[in-house]
Amino acid sequence: MKVLWKIVVLVVILLFLFYLMDSRVKENEPLESPVKQGTAIPSELKDDFQTTAPVRPEKGLSTYVGKKSESVIADLGEPDRIEPSAYGYDWWQYSSNGYLLIGVQDGIINQVYSSSEHSDMSPFKIGQNVEEIFRFSIIESEVNVPIGENSYSFSLNSEDMMNRILIKYEDLYAQIYVDGKDQIIEGIRFLDAETLVVHQPYAMEYTGEMIPIQQPSSTLQMEVDRSMERQIVELTNEYREHHEISKLQTDYWLTSVAQNHSKDMALENYFSHESPSAGNLSERLKEAKIEHKKAGENIASEYVDAIEAVHGWLNSPAHRDVLLEESFTHIGTGAYGKFYTQVLIRANKEEQNQFNQES
């Protein structure tokens, strides 16, 4: 009988140790975009195709869309950073008065995005309750976009209608990124028709011809990947700040782990936290000799860009828990094409000082 009790006690201890080990490293289901680019469906022109829409806002940053880039420089000065995108335009990044991204293609502004309450995104506002949007805006589950002789129709599903709203104006479209749990606006993007169609962020049907997308060269794609990584870190910290959670510090070695995982998923054609060659997150961190008290990892694929990927994580409960974990202190992010990885850890004081010196 004593031997039996010893065995039971030993099993309980082992199970408890396994629990502690598992709770230190959090992995969740991979998150794939609900819409894959290039899956638009050709269709017949609908009889009820509408071209009328409310007039576009007369004030705020949305008024830049369609103007020459010089108009932004005249008002806001030179951007803090200029980076390429995968769609032929450049991102101009401003941070002097909140986080602001402006898309510029051939000298013309094609979109404006902000997640800062200091940005004038009239008629909307970051932090605004989404119920106000439904009360004062025309919101439809199907949005038609005419471009010349071609027409494109976006269909929003029930989740889109709750946390990724699309609103049509004259020659302008607004994407409202909502925190589905707290029901507040986290980010706003104003963009022109061509950019919306090229992005294809919702299920889409079209008549006529699709707008061609030129794939970046391998050299340019590397620059785009680095741009996406920086934006994912910045947006993650923006969302954490919205929820009054401390910002994360970037770390070179964590970034290397994240980059290697995104690259591995793309080249080895799998989508999982478990790498066939490098193992799970715990094993990959151990191989990189990264000490931590706690760790978490989010992965995503097929999202249009960093804005869509981070917003997708925010509105997935398991990924949200990692994104907004209060105890995490450092982050590494990796992008490789349409594969995204972010690794977050909690370092103890001694390790944190080492990270701060090396970052």
Side-chain angles (χ1 to χ4, degrees):
M1 180 64 85
K2 290 183 178 180
V3 174
L4 180 61
W5 274 109
K6 287 181 180 179
I7 293 174
V8 171
V9 171
L10 180 60
V11 169
V12 171
I13 292 174
L14 288 173
L15 289 174
F16 181 69
L17 290 174
F18 280 127
Y19 169 78
L20 289 178
M21 291 173 64
D22 288 343
S23 65
R24 286 186 61 213
V25 178
K26 183 173 180 56
E27 296 177 349
N28 39 51
E29 291 298 315
L31 187 66
E32 188 169 12
S33 170
V35 179
K36 185 175 182 180
Q37 199 169 54
T39 57
I41 302 172
S43 66
E44 297 296 327
L45 182 64
K46 299 178 181 180
D47 293 335
D48 60 347
F49 187 82
Q50 300 293 319
T51 58
T52 58
V55 295
R56 58 187 294 170
E58 296 180 352
K59 66 175 185 176
L61 292 170
S62 71
T63 59
Y64 286 123
V65 177
K67 293 182 178 180
K68 293 182 178 180
S69 57
E70 287 85 349
S71 61
V72 171
I73 295 175
D75 294 339
L76 304 180
E78 295 289 342
D80 300 320
R81 194 173 73 224
I82 297 178
E83 299 176 318
S85 76
Y87 304 99
Y89 56 81
D90 289 330
W91 281 117
W92 289 18
Q93 190 264 342
Y94 290 87
S95 57
S96 57
N97 193 27
Y99 190 69
L100 174 64
L101 291 172
I102 296 178
V104 178
Q105 186 165 22
D106 299 326
I108 302 297
I109 299 166
N110 65 3
Q111 63 187 305
V112 172
Y113 169 86
S114 182
S115 54
S116 171
E117 61 182 7
H118 301 295
S119 297
D120 184 356
M121 302 299 280
S122 299
F124 314 110
K125 185 174 178 61
I126 303 301
Q128 183 179 5
N129 191 294
V130 71
E131 291 182 1
E132 297 179 17
I133 308 301
F134 282 97
R135 284 203 300 267
F136 301 112
S137 303
I138 299 175
I139 299 176
E140 299 176 316
S141 60
E142 186 169 298
V143 177
N144 298 313
V145 181
I147 302 178
E149 297 181 356
N150 305 312
S151 60
Y152 308 86
S153 179
F154 290 100
S155 297
L156 281 66
N157 60 31
S158 57
E159 288 190 11
D160 294 329
M161 293 295 288
M162 289 189 296
N163 57 46
R164 203 163 55 109
I165 303 166
L166 180 63
I167 299 176
K168 179 179 181 178
Y169 296 97
E170 289 181 353
D171 302 320
L172 182 73
Y173 299 83
Q175 283 186 278
I176 312 298
Y177 296 99
V178 179
D179 181 332
K181 181 178 180 179
D182 294 342
Q183 291 293 289
I184 61 171
I185 298 176
E186 292 281 356
I188 302 166
R189 174 169 10 202
F190 290 102
L191 67 173
D192 62 23
E194 289 81 0
T195 306
L196 178 62
V197 171
V198 167
H199 282 181
Q200 194 189 321
Y202 310 92
M204 187 176 80
E205 296 182 4
Y206 69 95
T207 60
E209 298 180 355
M210 282 294 295
I211 299 175
I213 303 175
Q214 185 174 356
Q215 296 300 319
S217 65
S218 56
T219 301
L220 179 58
Q221 185 62 57
M222 288 181 62
E223 295 181 33
V224 171
D225 292 341
R226 301 295 84 79
S227 170
M228 300 277 269
E229 291 166 2
R230 283 185 285 269
Q231 290 177 17
I232 287 174
V233 171
E234 291 163 348
L235 288 166
T236 296
N237 278 331
E238 278 283 295
Y239 283 10
R240 288 174 69 89
E241 188 174 33
H242 289 179
H243 291 82
E244 299 182 345
I245 300 171
S246 59
K247 291 186 176 183
L248 302 165
Q249 297 182 51
T250 56
D251 173 71
Y252 173 83
W253 299 109
L254 283 176
T255 298
S256 180
V257 170
Q259 288 175 339
N260 288 339
H261 191 60
S262 288
K263 182 178 180 179
D264 193 44
M265 287 191 293
L267 298 184
E268 298 301 324
N269 194 29
Y270 73 93
F271 186 39
S272 169
H273 293 280
E274 183 88 21
S275 165
S277 58
N280 59 27
L281 175 59
S282 180
E283 292 168 324
R284 287 182 272 120
L285 290 173
K286 184 177 181 180
E287 177 65 23
K289 299 180 179 179
I290 297 175
E291 298 291 336
H292 59 278
K293 296 179 72 67
K294 191 174 184 178
E297 181 176 65
N298 284 332
I299 60 175
S301 72
E302 298 299 336
Y303 281 91
V304 169
D305 55 19
I307 296 169
E308 294 276 343
V310 175
H311 182 258
W313 285 329
L314 181 72
N315 280 287
S316 170
H319 299 84
R320 179 191 182 93
D321 288 345
V322 172
L323 191 79
L324 300 180
E325 168 58 52
E326 294 185 13
S327 66
F328 287 149
T329 56
H330 292 78
I331 184 174
T333 300
Y336 195 93
K338 289 295 178 67
F339 287 88
Y340 312 100
T341 302
Q342 63 173 188
V343 180
L344 299 82
I345 71 164
R346 175 189 175 190
N348 61 33
K349 290 184 178 179
E350 187 175 312
E351 292 158 350
Q352 188 167 338
N353 290 335
Q354 182 180 355
F355 274 117
N356 294 342
Q357 292 172 4
E358 295 177 351
S359 297

